[in-house]
Amino acid sequence: GATGSAPSDSYKVSATYVDGYKATVMAPLIGPRAAVKGHLNATSTIKRCSKMFKKMGMSDFEEVNIEALGSGSNYGADFSTSAAKEVVMWTSVRHKDKKALELWAKEIAGASTGMAPGLTTLVGGRPRPSPILRFKPFLYPKHLVNIEINGKAFESSKVDFQR
């Protein structure tokens, strides 16, 4: 037979939960000072949404990340001095409320048609908020769990494991 220790007084629980939402957009820009134009586009949309959130009684973004891919900024260069005429603006935002990111997505989609010249498209179309799933393992005391099978109370301590 098997050897080992007696069962513990706790259940091992693996829980997942939603910890807000995130959305990301990538937008290629072309032309002189592409990185500067792209950064201004992205930051002005963030600022406009932040003002709208405040008026609506919503909290601000929890996290904002804006990068001009192709400008050299990932190597420590200042994007504003970049001579690149082609960049991809990568903007990622995080918020507790899915509706806030849906509003941001509408605003960023409008920017693609009416802001800086040279913004060519939104890769993949309008961004969609996605839930941020977190994992939380923990132990839960067995005596706090009532188990029923077919409507009858079940007590695991009365099960004969020696059969």
Side-chain angles (χ1 to χ4, degrees), residues 19-27 42 45-46 49 53 61-67 89-109 122-133:
D19 186 23
Y21 296 85
K22 65 179 179 174
T24 301
V25 67
M26 291 176 46
T45 304
I46 295 296
C49 285
F53 295 166
F61 293 102
E62 292 183 340
E63 191 176 333
V64 175
N65 189 18
I66 300 170
E67 294 186 40
M89 290 308 301
W90 181 73
T91 306
S92 181
V93 292
R94 179 179 166 183
H95 201 282
K96 285 282 182 204
D97 190 342
K98 184 178 180 179
K99 290 181 191 221
L101 295 188
E102 289 170 343
L103 176 64
W104 171 79
K106 288 178 185 175
E107 289 297 312
I108 202 78
L122 299 180
V123 176
R126 183 188 292 178
R128 291 172 201 79
S130 301
I132 298 170
L133 299 176

Side-chain angles (χ1 to χ4, degrees), residues 3-99:
T3 60
S5 17
S8 74
D9 62 349
S10 299
Y11 288 115
K12 295 176 187 175
V13 180
S14 296
T16 56
Y17 62 97
V18 175
D19 186 23
Y21 296 85
K22 65 179 179 174
T24 301
V25 67
M26 291 176 46
L29 273 102
I30 58 172
R33 297 177 39 89
V36 172
K37 286 192 291 187
H39 204 273
L40 285 171
N41 244 358
T43 55
S44 65
T45 304
I46 295 296
K47 287 177 184 176
R48 186 170 52 253
C49 285
S50 293
K51 288 178 185 177
M52 294 167 81
F53 295 166
K54 191 172 185 176
K55 285 181 182 178
M56 298 169 70
M58 300 171 85
S59 62
D60 203 357
F61 293 102
E62 292 183 340
E63 191 176 333
V64 175
N65 189 18
I66 300 170
E67 294 186 40
L69 304 177
S71 70
S73 62
N74 287 329
Y75 289 99
D78 181 0
F79 74 87
S80 65
T81 61
S82 172
K85 293 183 179 170
E86 297 176 328
V87 297
V88 174
M89 290 308 301
W90 181 73
T91 306
S92 181
V93 292
R94 179 179 166 183
H95 201 282
K96 285 282 182 204
D97 190 342
K98 184 178 180 179
K99 290 181 191 221

